[in-house]
Amino acid sequence: MRPGIPRTSFYLQNVNWFKYASPQNFYGLAGKLAPWFAIAAALLTITGLYIGFFLAPTDAQQGEAYRIIFIHVPAAWMSMLIYLVMAVWAGIGFVLNTRLSSMMASALAPTGAMFTFIALITGSAWGKPTWGTWWVWDARLTSELILLFLYLGFISLQAAIDDPRRADKAGALLALLGVVNIPIIYFSVKWWNTLHQGASVSLTSGPTMATTMLTGMLVMTFALWSYSIAAALARVRCIILERESRTVWVGELRELSARAA
Amino acid sequence: MDNMNWTNCSDFFAMGGYGLYVWGSYLVTAAAIAVELMSLRGRRRTIRLRLTRMRDRK
């Protein structure tokens, strides 16, 4: 037992906690994990849509139009969640100057922007039959649109700066500033009490939805979680290769020598 | 497990008259995800090509 180290289990003493903070190690880990998340996403999506379209009953007021909920709500949740995760990674990268954290933030942005776009479009397609309009300057819709601009701003800001490290810093500042928009979106329906209905599913109160409808929506939420993880891991691998292209370990990557195409 | 909702295919696609909106939404979602997957594949191919060219030049 080495002196000075408190009596902890063998595992705690010898594990290198920062093993996967290095882009090289994380490249391998992400490569192994991403396919599994992709498969999980596919299976969960099929299950979720089956529940949503074949098991869930017709809605009393909206008839069949409500079935958009199985993609609209999960996508909207993802758009907010991904922004928070992106801001956390950007913040960590900014504070600790760890390259991989900032790479992860850049990897998440496009997927988050896509889900924001999907939430806006599916919401609008849901609003037309039920509210009678494609768009209204409602508190929630407007703050979600601002979220989309924040994502696009983050992506284009980083693309505009050549030096990756400076782009990371600039992006981190924008991401952290934009975090204030997330609670605004979430609570907008309560604070401004506008056209968009309130939360039928919230952490505090019980869900006010039929169980099969709720189950379908939750399964789709996990499907989009798995998809986002797979997409972000795949994109961070590309970013790692792009930024570390001149390193020795990238030079020796087996898979590159396999075929030129 | 017979499904309780749809008597036949056309009923399913009609979606209670809201077919345009429901299937429009799912089409847009599928298209957005397809675009992202293609962009990911393209990005991966581009960097791999660049790396193999860098290696051949060495």
Side-chain angles (χ1 to χ4, degrees):
Chain A
M1 257 270 289
R2 281 165 289 179
I5 290 187
R7 221 169 57 79
T8 50
S9 73
F10 172 81
Y11 182 75
L12 279 179
Q13 276 172 0
N14 291 286
V15 79
N16 166 3
W17 292 101
F18 296 103
K19 176 170 188 244
Y20 290 110
S22 91
Q24 176 178 359
N25 291 334
F26 190 74
Y27 180 84
L29 177 69
K32 283 199 273 288
L33 291 178
W36 295 105
F37 281 106
I39 292 167
L43 294 178
L44 285 166
T45 304
I46 293 166
T47 319
L49 291 183
Y50 178 77
I51 296 172
F53 279 92
F54 293 99
L55 302 185
T58 309
D59 185 63
Q61 292 135 353
Q62 296 187 23
E64 304 302 344
Y66 90 97
R67 292 188 196 274
I68 300 176
I69 198 174
F70 300 114
I71 198 68
H72 175 66
V73 172
W77 283 347
M78 284 314 294
S79 69
M80 292 190 276
L81 178 64
I82 288 180
Y83 192 89
L84 290 179
V85 174
M86 180 178 92
V88 164
W89 281 122
I92 291 174
F94 185 71
V95 168
L96 302 181
N97 227 338
T98 43
R99 301 193 317 271
L100 189 56
S101 313
S102 309
M103 290 186 206
M104 200 59 201
S106 311
L108 282 160
T111 305
M114 183 195 71
F115 279 128
T116 312
F117 172 74
I118 290 175
L120 286 165
I121 297 290
T122 53
S124 164
W126 195 354
K128 182 61 181 162
T130 47
W131 296 343
T133 170
W134 294 104
W135 180 262
V136 64
W137 293 103
D138 164 275
R140 165 148 297 173
L141 279 67
T142 313
S143 45
E144 184 79 12
L145 187 62
I146 291 169
L147 180 62
L148 180 63
F149 293 146
L150 274 169
Y151 272 120
L152 298 179
F154 179 86
I155 295 168
S156 41
L157 174 65
Q158 293 211 318
I161 301 173
D162 291 333
D163 168 19
R165 304 299 292 130
R166 280 185 59 240
D168 290 343
K169 285 192 174 54
L173 288 182
L174 176 60
L176 290 171
L177 274 174
V179 168
V180 73
N181 186 37
I182 301 299
I184 291 175
I185 296 174
Y186 189 74
F187 293 111
S188 58
V189 282
K190 220 164 21 164
W191 293 340
W192 289 288
N193 194 3
T194 51
L195 194 54
H196 191 286
Q197 72 268 23
S200 346
V201 176
S202 71
L203 307 178
T204 50
S205 67
T208 57
M209 282 169 68
T211 41
T212 40
M213 293 180 190
L214 179 65
T215 325
M217 198 170 69
L218 291 179
V219 169
M220 283 303 287
T221 302
F222 289 119
L224 295 194
W225 274 32
S226 305
Y227 170 80
S228 307
I229 294 170
L233 288 180
R235 187 171 295 110
V236 84
R237 274 163 63 87
C238 294
I239 295 174
I240 291 173
L241 286 182
E242 284 156 9
R243 290 203 193 178
E244 313 267 308
S245 53
R246 283 175 184 70
T247 58
V248 172
W249 72 273
V250 168
E252 288 157 3
L253 267 179
R254 288 176 329 285
E255 65 206 43
L256 290 184
S257 57
R259 48 181 169 68
Chain B
M1 215 0 228
D2 68 305
N3 73 65
M4 298 168 290
N5 297 334
W6 319 111
T7 49
N8 50 46
C9 267
S10 66
D11 189 15
F12 179 69
F13 289 112
M15 197 50 70
Y18 296 110
L20 168 70
Y21 305 110
V22 174
W23 298 119
S25 305
Y26 283 87
L27 214 64
V28 163
T29 307
I33 289 184
V35 163
E36 178 169 41
L37 293 179
M38 278 188 295
S39 88
L40 264 170
R41 226 157 48 88
R43 187 168 182 172
R44 187 165 167 71
R45 204 164 44 78
T46 316
I47 183 61
R48 288 166 69 105
L49 278 179
R50 189 153 65 88
L51 288 172
T52 25
R53 261 201 309 278
M54 276 166 64
R55 161 178 306 165
D56 301 343
R57 213 175 303 124
K58 262 212 284 293

